[in-house]
Amino acid sequence: MKIGLIGNPNVGKSLIFHQLTGLGVEVSNYPGTTIDLQCGNTCFQKEMIEVIDLPGIYSLEGDSEEERTVRAFVDSGEADVIVAVLDAGRLERNLYLLLQVAEYRRPMLVVLNMMDEAEKSGITVDIGKLSSLLGIEVIPTVAVQGKNTCNIIPAVLSSARTPTVKVLYDHHIEAGVKSLRTIHTLDWNRAIQALLGHDEDPDVLEAASALSEEIERMHRMSVAQIIAGNRHHCAEHIASEVVRSQPPERGPDIDRLLTTRIPGIPILAAILIGILLTVFIIGSWLEEAIVTLIDTFVLQPFLAAGFPPLAEQLGTSFILAIQAGFGIAFPFIFTFYVFIALLEDSGYLTRAAFLADRTLHRFGMHGQGIIPIVLGFGCNVPAIMSIKLLRTKRERLIASFLVTLIPCSARTVIIAGLVAAFVGLAAALSVYLIVLVIIIITGLMLSRVTPGEQFGMILEMSPLRWPTAKNVLLKSWMRIREFLIIAMPLLIVASIILGLFQYSGLMAAFEDFIEPFSVAVLGLPSYATTALIFGILRKEMALETLVILAGTADLGSVLSMAQIYIFAVVSVLFIPCIATIAVLKKEIGTKMALVVSAYTLIIGILVGALLNIIFS
């Protein structure tokens, strides 16, 4: 059995998905699109149920890729049951999407989420009457507390049914639908979709276009506007029948503090700097502890065992890979993901977008550009994917350049694991300052040379809420799984290959070839430049490979402070990782992905060369 979760953004749909499916989640593209769908399985009463989390949308009638994907999924009948997740505090707006889905005549179920927040706002919903008006089961839930989510799957199996609710359309729309159904033997929903211009049959579209032109001439409104108005009126009527509200108790106006320039901007700056400092402190402490344990109880006993040279070289490479991955990368990445999850779940990211709108306009974007920028501190891959939030190709192109330069958690590993650990905290923060200056210069330059229009921002403020530890840790774990499942095996294999290259002498030959450039331009030993190249696979691998090639995690004993600093800066600015390049290719095309990569390569080498001259 297959069920699809559908709903507006920020209704708790993905949280419900994770509660239903646990950790067995796969991310895949919907056929023919670049839209990622999360798919997971759950077993109930010996029946395997596949759950698909569809992108959050406000309407099925738009032309965005997300809307086309969800519309195709619902129309295909792939799902045996559609579960519509609604926000109890914004019922009228959420009902608009539900009414559209209901016209596809699929078995459905409603999950009315965020009941606790609705009650805090003085809103009560008559669940029984709402169920009666819609003709389908309604389950009230509080997903952040796990309240009633356990009832969703049993209800899907026993209570899902086709909705009986019907929108009362304008009589000219009704007449147009009747004509199309008579002439082309269409069902009701396909006739409506044809009037809106969504059909693949040229004959149907030609007839629908003629009818639409006649309706528009009589109403002086487009068919889409008339249909949308009828649906909004129906949603308003249903909401007025089931929703009762009273003024909520007044408390401190936190939103006013967070969304005004003063103190909002200082608060935003303090939050971001505080997160970086905390990641440095916690990550450094964990790094030292884990590296010391592995060195004392694993590496030294292994070296003392007296294995043959080849076995010793391969075994050492394997142990150093484990030490670099779990001891250096994991503490910083996981800690950073915890803070990103806190910002997301608290609702603060939308406040940050509101605050950043005026500033980001100077860089050719609107305030929602802050969301991919902040996500970029966690990982550039989902950050690049989130540029779909931006309306124009111009904004998405500018955002791609800027996000690629953002120090992600993997780059934070390099900054914290190298500069903060061996040079000092002030030096580590100065790396961020250098990157910030480059991002500002790049943004101002691109805002002047990138063609296209710039639009304003319409943003829905998600409610402020206390994040729950369970959900934050679950979200952080889901993200760190990629590192454990993909990066660690890649790191181990690369480390063993490096060990073989070192044993055979190939690494020495390559380092001899690259040494003149490495020493003259960057002031780095040749093995450090080799490590930079491996960072293209995954950014943290530059540091991990450096540890392997240096033969020690105590890099301060083999590199000067200046060399450590230059290596870190060049690593942060150097070509983005392969995963980021692949996502750039999907979002902005192969040509521009290569341009972005070439730009970061040139910037990294130029800044590294400049620092070498300064330190010399």
Side-chain angles (χ1 to χ4, degrees):
M1 186 177 194
K2 182 183 291 189
I3 66 176
L5 297 179
I6 191 170
N8 290 176
N10 302 314
V11 296
K13 180 170 53 64
S14 294
L15 177 56
I16 290 172
F17 169 77
H18 285 299
Q19 289 180 348
L20 294 180
T21 59
L23 300 179
V25 178
E26 294 182 3
V27 178
S28 59
N29 288 128
Y30 190 74
T33 75
T34 60
I35 299 299
D36 286 335
L37 302 182
Q38 286 193 314
C39 305
N41 295 315
T42 185
C43 186
F44 183 79
Q45 293 181 348
K46 299 182 179 180
E47 181 170 357
M48 185 62 69
I49 300 170
E50 182 181 1
V51 185
I52 298 174
D53 184 16
L54 298 166
I57 58 171
Y58 292 105
S59 170
L60 287 176
E61 310 300 353
D63 289 324
S64 73
E65 191 164 11
E66 288 86 353
E67 290 165 321
R68 291 197 300 269
T69 298
V70 177
R71 186 167 64 237
F73 180 87
V74 176
D75 187 44
S76 69
E78 284 185 49
D80 299 292
V81 177
I82 299 291
V83 176
V85 183
L86 312 184
D87 180 354
R90 296 173 172 84
L91 185 59
E92 181 181 332
R93 190 198 64 208
N94 284 228
L95 283 170
Y96 181 79
L97 176 62
L98 182 142
L99 292 172
Q100 290 178 293
V101 178
E103 292 183 345
Y104 284 83
R105 314 302 294 164
R106 309 292 185 213
M108 289 187 67
L109 187 76
V110 168
V111 173
L112 192 61
N113 195 31
M114 302 184 183
M115 292 294 293
D116 57 332
E117 292 180 5
E119 290 173 7
K120 288 177 184 177
S121 302
I123 295 172
T124 57
V125 181
D126 187 332
I127 303 298
K129 191 168 187 180
L130 178 61
S131 177
S132 176
L133 290 172
L134 297 177
I136 49 179
E137 183 83 9
V138 177
I139 300 174
T141 63
V142 181
V144 293
Q145 301 173 12
K147 186 177 179 180
N148 282 353
T149 53
C150 61
N151 296 330
I152 295 174
I153 296 299
V156 165
L157 296 174
S158 63
S159 306
R161 56 185 182 270
T162 304
T164 58
V165 64
K166 190 175 186 305
V167 178
L168 296 177
Y169 288 106
D170 176 87
H171 66 282
H172 290 114
I173 298 294
E174 296 271 3
V177 169
K178 185 177 181 180
S179 297
L180 287 173
R181 297 186 70 188
T182 301
I183 297 171
H184 295 282
T185 62
L186 308 178
D187 60 27
W188 173 272
N189 183 63
R190 187 179 170 192
I192 281 281
Q193 293 299 313
L195 285 176
L196 290 167
H198 304 306
D199 201 278
E200 297 180 357
D201 188 327
D203 294 333
V204 172
L205 281 179
E206 183 179 357
S209 177
L211 289 168
S212 296
E213 289 176 5
E214 180 65 19
I215 294 170
E216 289 172 13
R217 185 185 63 78
M218 290 186 289
H219 282 263
R220 298 184 182 276
M221 293 173 63
S222 69
V223 167
Q225 289 173 321
I226 299 169
I227 290 175
N230 295 154
R231 288 170 175 164
H232 278 297
H233 179 74
C234 182
E236 180 185 20
H237 171 71
I238 294 171
S240 66
E241 289 288 314
V242 301
V243 174
R244 296 292 177 266
S245 60
Q246 57 186 16
E249 295 182 10
R250 285 196 170 273
D253 193 353
I254 300 176
D255 260 337
R256 188 174 184 83
L257 292 175
L258 296 179
T259 56
T260 52
R261 297 185 67 190
I262 303 295
I265 292 177
I267 290 173
L268 174 61
I271 288 173
L272 294 179
I273 293 172
I275 288 173
L276 291 177
L277 290 174
T278 306
V279 169
F280 282 161
I281 293 168
I282 295 176
S284 297
W285 178 76
L286 289 172
E287 175 194 0
E288 184 178 356
I290 296 171
V291 167
T292 301
L293 284 172
I294 293 176
D295 190 66
T296 304
F297 296 103
V298 181
L299 182 59
Q300 295 305 325
F302 177 80
L303 292 175
F307 287 101
L310 178 59
E312 183 175 285
Q313 179 70 65
L314 295 179
T316 301
S317 298
F318 176 81
I319 294 170
L320 286 174
I322 296 297
Q323 186 182 54
F326 284 105
I328 298 177
F330 183 85
F332 295 102
I333 294 176
F334 185 73
T335 306
F336 211 107
Y337 279 153
V338 167
F339 282 106
I340 292 295
L342 284 170
L343 290 181
E344 290 176 337
D345 285 7
S346 67
Y348 181 71
L349 276 184
T350 52
R351 276 82 187 162
F354 182 83
L355 280 172
D357 188 51
R358 186 173 180 178
T359 301
L360 288 180
H361 264 76
R362 300 178 186 274
F363 300 100
M365 299 186 293
H366 60 63
Q368 279 187 285
I370 194 68
I371 295 176
I373 286 173
V374 172
L375 289 176
F377 282 101
C379 179
N380 286 172
V381 173
I384 294 294
M385 292 171 63
S386 71
I387 66 173
K388 295 185 183 76
L389 293 169
L390 305 177
R391 291 179 57 187
T392 67
K393 182 179 179 181
R394 178 178 188 266
E395 290 176 310
R396 292 192 289 271
L397 184 60
I398 293 173
S400 297
F401 271 89
L402 301 187
V403 167
T404 305
L405 292 168
I406 295 291
C408 61
S409 58
R411 288 158 165 160
T412 298
V413 169
I414 297 171
I415 297 171
L418 266 180
V419 185
F422 295 105
V423 184
L425 188 58
L429 292 175
S430 72
V431 176
Y432 283 97
L433 181 61
I434 291 173
V435 175
L436 177 61
V437 171
I438 292 172
I439 288 173
I440 290 173
I441 294 171
T442 302
L444 292 174
M445 178 181 68
L446 289 173
S447 68
R448 286 166 171 76
V449 302
T450 309
E453 295 183 82
Q454 183 174 354
F455 295 93
M457 177 180 69
I458 299 175
L459 179 68
E460 176 193 353
M461 286 287 187
S462 55
L464 287 171
R465 59 175 70 94
W466 285 106
T468 62
K470 178 182 177 182
N471 293 332
V472 168
L473 291 174
L474 176 63
K475 185 177 288 189
S476 303
W477 170 250
M478 293 298 297
R479 289 170 172 167
I480 201 67
R481 275 182 40 177
E482 181 195 0
F483 172 78
L484 296 175
I485 295 172
I486 299 175
M488 279 302 296
L490 184 64
L491 173 59
I492 291 170
V493 171
S495 179
I496 292 173
I497 292 173
L498 283 173
L500 288 171
F501 282 178
Q502 285 179 305
Y503 183 80
S504 65
L506 289 175
M507 188 61 68
F510 177 78
E511 289 173 0
D512 289 341
F513 170 76
I514 204 170
E515 186 171 16
F517 168 84
S518 181
V519 174
V521 177
L522 300 178
L524 297 174
S526 55
Y527 66 81
T529 304
T530 304
L532 287 173
I533 295 171
F534 273 86
I536 299 173
L537 296 175
R538 282 185 65 97
K539 277 298 174 182
E540 67 271 21
M541 281 189 67
L543 174 55
E544 294 153 356
T545 305
L546 182 63
V547 170
I548 294 165
L549 294 178
T552 176
D554 183 15
L555 295 171
S557 65
V558 294
L559 296 173
S560 69
M561 299 299 102
Q563 288 174 324
I564 287 174
Y565 191 84
I566 291 171
F567 179 88
V569 171
V570 176
S571 295
V572 169
L573 295 173
F574 203 58
I575 299 175
C577 67
I578 286 177
T580 301
I581 295 172
V583 175
L584 282 169
K585 179 179 178 294
K586 287 172 59 179
E587 300 297 337
I588 60 175
T590 302
K591 180 180 177 182
M592 291 312 303
L594 292 175
V595 170
V596 172
S597 302
Y599 177 75
T600 58
L601 172 63
I602 293 168
I603 289 293
I605 292 175
L606 287 178
V607 174
L610 180 61
L611 289 173
N612 184 35
I613 292 171
I614 293 171
F615 291 139
S616 298

